[in-house]
Amino acid sequence: MPVTDLDRELRPATLDDAALVADLESLRNPDEPRDPVLLRYWWQMADELENTMRRIHMRDGIPVAFVGASHAGWVDGARRFGVVRPLLRYAEWSDSDFEQLVEIGERWLRTEGAEIAVTRVREDFRRELAVFGRLGFREDRRMRTSEIDLVARREHIVRSARESLRQMRDQGIQVHPISDDRDPERFRKLYATMVEAKRDVPTTVPEADITFEEWHRYWFGNPSIRQDRFWIAREGDDIVGCSVLDCPVVRGVPNTAFTGTLRRVRGRGIARAIKYQSLAQAIEDGYTRVRTSNDADNPPILRINAEMGYRLVAPIIEMHREL
C-alpha cells in the first residue's frame, strides 16, 4: 500500500494527546461531549491490557485527524479481531482522507496478524457509514444507546427505587453501595459476579477474562467511578448483582457502565432494583440525564430500560470487514 499524505502528517499520539482527541470527538458529537480525563484513562488501560496504536495530525495547534487501532491478545484457534477508530474534523472533511485513516488503521492490524477489522459508529454519522460501506464493511451487530430524563422521570424513579428496596428486603436481599460493605472478600466476590455476568452479554468479538488485579485497577482506578456509587446486591455471603454509573470528571453525560447479576438469581428483579438505586442517587447528585448502551440482542435489560423510561438516542452499528 503506498504511503499517503496523511501517513506523513500523522504522528504518534501520547496520553497527553487524549484531551485533544476528546475535543475532536466532542465537536462531532456535542450532545455527548467526551471527557478528556476519562479518555486518557481508557487509553492508559488499553495500553496495559491490549496492543494499541494511536496517531494524530495537528494543524496550527488544532487536532484535525486521529486514528487508533487495537486488539486483545491472540488465542490459538480463535478468530483474530482488531478494532479501528478513525476520526476526522468535519470542517476538514473529505471522503478520501477518512478512507486513508481507515486504511492506516487496517494496515497496522494486518501487521499484528488480525483477520477481521471491526469499527463501531452511530447510525446517524452518515459520512462515516458511507465510507465504511464503500470499503466493504458490513453490519454485524447493533447497540442501543438510550437516555433517561431524570427531571421528567424523577417521581417514577424515586418511587420505584423505594418500592424495589422493599421487594428486595422481602426476598432477603441486601442492597447498598460497596463503600458500605464490610466483607473483606467483597472485591473478589464482586469480581466473580461481574465476570460471570459479562460472559452472558451478546457479542461477536470475544473478550478474554482479565485477572482480579487487572479488574480492580480497571474499575477502581477509574476517575469516573466511586465506591459510594457502585451498588451491589447481597444474598447471604454472596454478592449476586451490581450496577454502577461512570460520571464525568470534566464534561459529559453519566453512563451506566455495568449492570448484571449471577445467572442463578435472574428473574427476581435484582438488576432492576440496583439500577433504580443508581438512578435515584444520580438525581440526588444533581444530574439531569443518564445514558446507557446495550446490545440489541439483550432483551432482558432492554425491557428494564423501557420500563424506567429510557428513550433511544441512536443505534451504534458494529461493522466488520475481512482483512
PDB file of all heavy atoms in Angstrom, residues 20 25 29 36 49 60 76-77 81 83 92 136 147 149 173 175 206 220 232 248-249 268 278 280 293 313 315 320:
ATOM      1  N   LEU A  20      -6.869  16.479  23.369  1.00  0.00           N
ATOM      2  CA  LEU A  20      -7.085  16.976  22.012  1.00  0.00           C
ATOM      3  C   LEU A  20      -8.092  16.091  21.269  1.00  0.00           C
ATOM      4  O   LEU A  20      -8.973  16.594  20.569  1.00  0.00           O
ATOM      5  CB  LEU A  20      -5.754  17.014  21.258  1.00  0.00           C
ATOM      6  CG  LEU A  20      -4.694  17.968  21.807  1.00  0.00           C
ATOM      7  CD1 LEU A  20      -3.363  17.729  21.121  1.00  0.00           C
ATOM      8  CD2 LEU A  20      -5.133  19.415  21.620  1.00  0.00           C
ATOM      9  N   GLU A  25     -13.642  14.628  19.275  1.00  0.00           N
ATOM     10  CA  GLU A  25     -14.853  13.818  19.382  1.00  0.00           C
ATOM     11  C   GLU A  25     -16.055  14.664  19.799  1.00  0.00           C
ATOM     12  O   GLU A  25     -17.178  14.454  19.323  1.00  0.00           O
ATOM     13  CB  GLU A  25     -14.651  12.686  20.381  1.00  0.00           C
ATOM     14  CG  GLU A  25     -13.739  11.582  19.881  1.00  0.00           C
ATOM     15  CD  GLU A  25     -13.890  10.315  20.709  1.00  0.00           C
ATOM     16  OE1 GLU A  25     -15.028   9.965  21.058  1.00  0.00           O
ATOM     17  OE2 GLU A  25     -12.869   9.692  21.002  1.00  0.00           O
ATOM     18  N   ASN A  29     -19.820  15.128  18.170  1.00  0.00           N
ATOM     19  CA  ASN A  29     -20.962  14.616  18.918  1.00  0.00           C
ATOM     20  C   ASN A  29     -21.232  15.515  20.124  1.00  0.00           C
ATOM     21  O   ASN A  29     -21.055  15.110  21.269  1.00  0.00           O
ATOM     22  CB  ASN A  29     -20.661  13.180  19.371  1.00  0.00           C
ATOM     23  CG  ASN A  29     -21.868  12.476  19.928  1.00  0.00           C
ATOM     24  OD1 ASN A  29     -23.003  12.946  19.783  1.00  0.00           O
ATOM     25  ND2 ASN A  29     -21.645  11.355  20.588  1.00  0.00           N
ATOM     26  N   PRO A  36     -12.151  14.448  28.723  1.00  0.00           N
ATOM     27  CA  PRO A  36     -10.723  14.224  28.438  1.00  0.00           C
ATOM     28  C   PRO A  36     -10.020  13.391  29.507  1.00  0.00           C
ATOM     29  O   PRO A  36      -9.114  12.615  29.191  1.00  0.00           O
ATOM     30  CB  PRO A  36     -10.153  15.646  28.369  1.00  0.00           C
ATOM     31  CG  PRO A  36     -11.114  16.489  29.140  1.00  0.00           C
ATOM     32  CD  PRO A  36     -12.458  15.870  28.924  1.00  0.00           C
ATOM     33  N   LEU A  49      -3.794  -3.558  28.772  1.00  0.00           N
ATOM     34  CA  LEU A  49      -4.498  -4.817  28.559  1.00  0.00           C
ATOM     35  C   LEU A  49      -4.497  -5.287  27.110  1.00  0.00           C
ATOM     36  O   LEU A  49      -4.842  -6.441  26.841  1.00  0.00           O
ATOM     37  CB  LEU A  49      -5.957  -4.677  29.033  1.00  0.00           C
ATOM     38  CG  LEU A  49      -6.152  -4.339  30.513  1.00  0.00           C
ATOM     39  CD1 LEU A  49      -7.632  -4.095  30.798  1.00  0.00           C
ATOM     40  CD2 LEU A  49      -5.597  -5.442  31.398  1.00  0.00           C
ATOM     41  N   ASP A  60      -1.789  23.972  12.934  1.00  0.00           N
ATOM     42  CA  ASP A  60      -1.877  25.255  13.640  1.00  0.00           C
ATOM     43  C   ASP A  60      -2.390  25.066  15.073  1.00  0.00           C
ATOM     44  O   ASP A  60      -3.207  25.858  15.573  1.00  0.00           O
ATOM     45  CB  ASP A  60      -2.791  26.227  12.883  1.00  0.00           C
ATOM     46  CG  ASP A  60      -2.294  26.536  11.482  1.00  0.00           C
ATOM     47  OD1 ASP A  60      -1.055  26.597  11.311  1.00  0.00           O
ATOM     48  OD2 ASP A  60      -3.115  26.694  10.565  1.00  0.00           O
ATOM     49  N   ASP A  76      -5.000 -19.142  20.382  1.00  0.00           N
ATOM     50  CA  ASP A  76      -4.856 -20.180  19.357  1.00  0.00           C
ATOM     51  C   ASP A  76      -6.208 -20.753  18.978  1.00  0.00           C
ATOM     52  O   ASP A  76      -7.019 -21.119  19.840  1.00  0.00           O
ATOM     53  CB  ASP A  76      -3.951 -21.310  19.871  1.00  0.00           C
ATOM     54  CG  ASP A  76      -2.492 -20.877  20.007  1.00  0.00           C
ATOM     55  OD1 ASP A  76      -2.142 -19.848  19.408  1.00  0.00           O
ATOM     56  OD2 ASP A  76      -1.730 -21.577  20.703  1.00  0.00           O
ATOM     57  N   GLY A  77      -6.463 -20.801  17.673  1.00  0.00           N
ATOM     58  CA  GLY A  77      -7.695 -21.389  17.178  1.00  0.00           C
ATOM     59  C   GLY A  77      -8.869 -20.434  17.102  1.00  0.00           C
ATOM     60  O   GLY A  77      -9.907 -20.792  16.530  1.00  0.00           O
ATOM     61  N   PHE A  81      -9.786 -10.613  15.859  1.00  0.00           N
ATOM     62  CA  PHE A  81     -10.473  -9.346  15.615  1.00  0.00           C
ATOM     63  C   PHE A  81      -9.614  -8.177  16.080  1.00  0.00           C
ATOM     64  O   PHE A  81      -9.001  -8.237  17.149  1.00  0.00           O
ATOM     65  CB  PHE A  81     -11.798  -9.311  16.380  1.00  0.00           C
ATOM     66  CG  PHE A  81     -12.821 -10.305  15.929  1.00  0.00           C
ATOM     67  CD1 PHE A  81     -12.844 -11.585  16.461  1.00  0.00           C
ATOM     68  CD2 PHE A  81     -13.776  -9.963  14.974  1.00  0.00           C
ATOM     69  CE1 PHE A  81     -13.803 -12.505  16.060  1.00  0.00           C
ATOM     70  CE2 PHE A  81     -14.741 -10.870  14.568  1.00  0.00           C
ATOM     71  CZ  PHE A  81     -14.749 -12.155  15.110  1.00  0.00           C
ATOM     72  N   VAL A  83      -9.810  -3.676  16.262  1.00  0.00           N
ATOM     73  CA  VAL A  83     -10.712  -2.527  16.175  1.00  0.00           C
ATOM     74  C   VAL A  83      -9.965  -1.338  15.589  1.00  0.00           C
ATOM     75  O   VAL A  83      -8.817  -1.062  15.973  1.00  0.00           O
ATOM     76  CB  VAL A  83     -11.276  -2.171  17.569  1.00  0.00           C
ATOM     77  CG1 VAL A  83     -12.165  -0.939  17.483  1.00  0.00           C
ATOM     78  CG2 VAL A  83     -12.048  -3.355  18.147  1.00  0.00           C
ATOM     79  N   GLU A  92     -12.780  19.853   8.085  1.00  0.00           N
ATOM     80  CA  GLU A  92     -11.710  19.472   7.167  1.00  0.00           C
ATOM     81  C   GLU A  92     -12.089  18.210   6.378  1.00  0.00           C
ATOM     82  O   GLU A  92     -11.228  17.572   5.781  1.00  0.00           O
ATOM     83  CB  GLU A  92     -10.427  19.192   7.965  1.00  0.00           C
ATOM     84  CG  GLU A  92      -9.991  20.298   8.902  1.00  0.00           C
ATOM     85  CD  GLU A  92      -9.220  21.380   8.179  1.00  0.00           C
ATOM     86  OE1 GLU A  92      -8.790  21.120   7.039  1.00  0.00           O
ATOM     87  OE2 GLU A  92      -9.051  22.469   8.745  1.00  0.00           O
ATOM     88  N   GLY A 136     -16.197  -1.908   2.162  1.00  0.00           N
ATOM     89  CA  GLY A 136     -16.556  -3.308   2.328  1.00  0.00           C
ATOM     90  C   GLY A 136     -16.926  -3.718   3.731  1.00  0.00           C
ATOM     91  O   GLY A 136     -17.107  -4.915   3.999  1.00  0.00           O
ATOM     92  N   GLU A 147     -31.271   7.177  26.530  1.00  0.00           N
ATOM     93  CA  GLU A 147     -31.115   8.214  27.554  1.00  0.00           C
ATOM     94  C   GLU A 147     -32.401   8.338  28.355  1.00  0.00           C
ATOM     95  O   GLU A 147     -33.497   8.221  27.811  1.00  0.00           O
ATOM     96  CB  GLU A 147     -30.780   9.553  26.888  1.00  0.00           C
ATOM     97  CG  GLU A 147     -30.561  10.689  27.865  1.00  0.00           C
ATOM     98  CD  GLU A 147     -30.107  11.963  27.179  1.00  0.00           C
ATOM     99  OE1 GLU A 147     -28.972  11.961  26.656  1.00  0.00           O
ATOM    100  OE2 GLU A 147     -30.880  12.941  27.142  1.00  0.00           O
ATOM    101  N   ASP A 149     -34.446  10.919  31.009  1.00  0.00           N
ATOM    102  CA  ASP A 149     -34.581  12.280  31.521  1.00  0.00           C
ATOM    103  C   ASP A 149     -34.886  12.181  33.019  1.00  0.00           C
ATOM    104  O   ASP A 149     -35.999  11.814  33.411  1.00  0.00           O
ATOM    105  CB  ASP A 149     -35.708  12.993  30.767  1.00  0.00           C
ATOM    106  CG  ASP A 149     -35.865  14.456  31.162  1.00  0.00           C
ATOM    107  OD1 ASP A 149     -35.488  14.820  32.294  1.00  0.00           O
ATOM    108  OD2 ASP A 149     -36.396  15.226  30.338  1.00  0.00           O
ATOM    109  N   ILE A 173     -32.673  -9.956  50.272  1.00  0.00           N
ATOM    110  CA  ILE A 173     -31.574  -9.360  49.501  1.00  0.00           C
ATOM    111  C   ILE A 173     -31.219  -8.004  50.103  1.00  0.00           C
ATOM    112  O   ILE A 173     -32.094  -7.165  50.310  1.00  0.00           O
ATOM    113  CB  ILE A 173     -31.971  -9.167  48.020  1.00  0.00           C
ATOM    114  CG1 ILE A 173     -32.376 -10.508  47.385  1.00  0.00           C
ATOM    115  CG2 ILE A 173     -30.835  -8.518  47.238  1.00  0.00           C
ATOM    116  CD1 ILE A 173     -31.266 -11.482  47.226  1.00  0.00           C
ATOM    117  N   VAL A 175     -29.272  -4.453  49.607  1.00  0.00           N
ATOM    118  CA  VAL A 175     -28.821  -3.581  48.520  1.00  0.00           C
ATOM    119  C   VAL A 175     -28.161  -2.356  49.127  1.00  0.00           C
ATOM    120  O   VAL A 175     -28.769  -1.653  49.938  1.00  0.00           O
ATOM    121  CB  VAL A 175     -30.009  -3.168  47.617  1.00  0.00           C
ATOM    122  CG1 VAL A 175     -29.553  -2.152  46.569  1.00  0.00           C
ATOM    123  CG2 VAL A 175     -30.621  -4.392  46.951  1.00  0.00           C
ATOM    124  N   PRO A 206     -14.932 -11.628  20.843  1.00  0.00           N
ATOM    125  CA  PRO A 206     -14.779 -12.170  22.192  1.00  0.00           C
ATOM    126  C   PRO A 206     -13.898 -11.279  23.063  1.00  0.00           C
ATOM    127  O   PRO A 206     -12.991 -10.604  22.576  1.00  0.00           O
ATOM    128  CB  PRO A 206     -14.112 -13.529  21.952  1.00  0.00           C
ATOM    129  CG  PRO A 206     -13.399 -13.370  20.644  1.00  0.00           C
ATOM    130  CD  PRO A 206     -14.223 -12.428  19.824  1.00  0.00           C
ATOM    131  N   PHE A 220     -11.636   0.430  39.792  1.00  0.00           N
ATOM    132  CA  PHE A 220     -11.474   1.297  40.959  1.00  0.00           C
ATOM    133  C   PHE A 220     -10.294   2.255  40.847  1.00  0.00           C
ATOM    134  O   PHE A 220     -10.079   3.073  41.734  1.00  0.00           O
ATOM    135  CB  PHE A 220     -11.423   0.444  42.228  1.00  0.00           C
ATOM    136  CG  PHE A 220     -12.697  -0.309  42.449  1.00  0.00           C
ATOM    137  CD1 PHE A 220     -12.789  -1.666  42.173  1.00  0.00           C
ATOM    138  CD2 PHE A 220     -13.841   0.351  42.876  1.00  0.00           C
ATOM    139  CE1 PHE A 220     -13.976  -2.352  42.344  1.00  0.00           C
ATOM    140  CE2 PHE A 220     -15.036  -0.320  43.053  1.00  0.00           C
ATOM    141  CZ  PHE A 220     -15.106  -1.683  42.773  1.00  0.00           C
ATOM    142  N   ILE A 232     -24.388  -2.749  44.956  1.00  0.00           N
ATOM    143  CA  ILE A 232     -24.317  -4.202  44.924  1.00  0.00           C
ATOM    144  C   ILE A 232     -25.559  -4.785  45.601  1.00  0.00           C
ATOM    145  O   ILE A 232     -26.225  -4.119  46.399  1.00  0.00           O
ATOM    146  CB  ILE A 232     -23.051  -4.745  45.612  1.00  0.00           C
ATOM    147  CG1 ILE A 232     -23.047  -4.380  47.106  1.00  0.00           C
ATOM    148  CG2 ILE A 232     -21.796  -4.234  44.912  1.00  0.00           C
ATOM    149  CD1 ILE A 232     -21.940  -5.072  47.902  1.00  0.00           C
ATOM    150  N   PRO A 248     -18.972  11.929  34.598  1.00  0.00           N
ATOM    151  CA  PRO A 248     -17.899  12.733  34.000  1.00  0.00           C
ATOM    152  C   PRO A 248     -17.089  13.470  35.050  1.00  0.00           C
ATOM    153  O   PRO A 248     -17.608  13.893  36.082  1.00  0.00           O
ATOM    154  CB  PRO A 248     -18.652  13.696  33.081  1.00  0.00           C
ATOM    155  CG  PRO A 248     -20.046  13.745  33.627  1.00  0.00           C
ATOM    156  CD  PRO A 248     -20.316  12.386  34.185  1.00  0.00           C
ATOM    157  N   VAL A 249     -15.810  13.629  34.744  1.00  0.00           N
ATOM    158  CA  VAL A 249     -14.908  14.392  35.614  1.00  0.00           C
ATOM    159  C   VAL A 249     -14.892  15.856  35.191  1.00  0.00           C
ATOM    160  O   VAL A 249     -14.951  16.764  36.019  1.00  0.00           O
ATOM    161  CB  VAL A 249     -13.485  13.803  35.563  1.00  0.00           C
ATOM    162  CG1 VAL A 249     -12.538  14.597  36.461  1.00  0.00           C
ATOM    163  CG2 VAL A 249     -13.494  12.327  35.967  1.00  0.00           C
ATOM    164  N   ARG A 268     -35.683 -12.295  39.361  1.00  0.00           N
ATOM    165  CA  ARG A 268     -36.211 -11.906  40.673  1.00  0.00           C
ATOM    166  C   ARG A 268     -36.241 -10.390  40.863  1.00  0.00           C
ATOM    167  O   ARG A 268     -36.518  -9.907  41.960  1.00  0.00           O
ATOM    168  CB  ARG A 268     -35.378 -12.564  41.779  1.00  0.00           C
ATOM    169  CG  ARG A 268     -35.487 -14.078  41.792  1.00  0.00           C
ATOM    170  CD  ARG A 268     -34.444 -14.741  42.673  1.00  0.00           C
ATOM    171  NE  ARG A 268     -34.471 -14.235  44.041  1.00  0.00           N
ATOM    172  CZ  ARG A 268     -33.575 -14.596  44.988  1.00  0.00           C
ATOM    173  NH1 ARG A 268     -32.614 -15.460  44.697  1.00  0.00           N
ATOM    174  NH2 ARG A 268     -33.670 -14.093  46.198  1.00  0.00           N
ATOM    175  N   SER A 278     -29.191   3.302  41.603  1.00  0.00           N
ATOM    176  CA  SER A 278     -28.161   4.091  40.933  1.00  0.00           C
ATOM    177  C   SER A 278     -28.740   5.360  40.320  1.00  0.00           C
ATOM    178  O   SER A 278     -28.175   6.453  40.445  1.00  0.00           O
ATOM    179  CB  SER A 278     -27.491   3.225  39.858  1.00  0.00           C
ATOM    180  OG  SER A 278     -26.459   3.915  39.211  1.00  0.00           O
ATOM    181  N   ALA A 280     -31.622   6.860  41.216  1.00  0.00           N
ATOM    182  CA  ALA A 280     -32.096   7.741  42.288  1.00  0.00           C
ATOM    183  C   ALA A 280     -30.928   8.521  42.879  1.00  0.00           C
ATOM    184  O   ALA A 280     -31.067   9.710  43.218  1.00  0.00           O
ATOM    185  CB  ALA A 280     -32.801   6.921  43.361  1.00  0.00           C
ATOM    186  N   SER A 293     -25.820   1.971  27.123  1.00  0.00           N
ATOM    187  CA  SER A 293     -25.668   1.279  25.837  1.00  0.00           C
ATOM    188  C   SER A 293     -25.803  -0.214  26.080  1.00  0.00           C
ATOM    189  O   SER A 293     -25.132  -0.770  26.958  1.00  0.00           O
ATOM    190  CB  SER A 293     -24.313   1.589  25.188  1.00  0.00           C
ATOM    191  OG  SER A 293     -24.238   2.946  24.807  1.00  0.00           O
ATOM    192  N   VAL A 313     -31.519   7.055  21.698  1.00  0.00           N
ATOM    193  CA  VAL A 313     -30.813   8.198  21.119  1.00  0.00           C
ATOM    194  C   VAL A 313     -30.411   7.866  19.693  1.00  0.00           C
ATOM    195  O   VAL A 313     -30.795   8.541  18.740  1.00  0.00           O
ATOM    196  CB  VAL A 313     -29.564   8.553  21.962  1.00  0.00           C
ATOM    197  CG1 VAL A 313     -28.755   9.665  21.285  1.00  0.00           C
ATOM    198  CG2 VAL A 313     -29.965   8.961  23.367  1.00  0.00           C
ATOM    199  N   PRO A 315     -28.853   4.113  17.414  1.00  0.00           N
ATOM    200  CA  PRO A 315     -28.145   2.832  17.434  1.00  0.00           C
ATOM    201  C   PRO A 315     -26.672   3.030  17.107  1.00  0.00           C
ATOM    202  O   PRO A 315     -26.305   3.934  16.341  1.00  0.00           O
ATOM    203  CB  PRO A 315     -28.845   2.023  16.340  1.00  0.00           C
ATOM    204  CG  PRO A 315     -30.133   2.727  16.065  1.00  0.00           C
ATOM    205  CD  PRO A 315     -29.870   4.166  16.355  1.00  0.00           C
ATOM    206  N   HIS A 320     -17.978  -5.082  10.374  1.00  0.00           N
ATOM    207  CA  HIS A 320     -16.794  -5.941  10.227  1.00  0.00           C
ATOM    208  C   HIS A 320     -16.356  -5.984   8.768  1.00  0.00           C
ATOM    209  O   HIS A 320     -17.172  -5.855   7.855  1.00  0.00           O
ATOM    210  CB  HIS A 320     -17.120  -7.369  10.673  1.00  0.00           C
ATOM    211  CG  HIS A 320     -17.410  -7.512  12.132  1.00  0.00           C
ATOM    212  ND1 HIS A 320     -17.482  -8.731  12.768  1.00  0.00           N
ATOM    213  CD2 HIS A 320     -17.615  -6.605  13.115  1.00  0.00           C
ATOM    214  CE1 HIS A 320     -17.735  -8.580  14.054  1.00  0.00           C
ATOM    215  NE2 HIS A 320     -17.830  -7.276  14.275  1.00  0.00           N
TER     216      HIS A 320
END
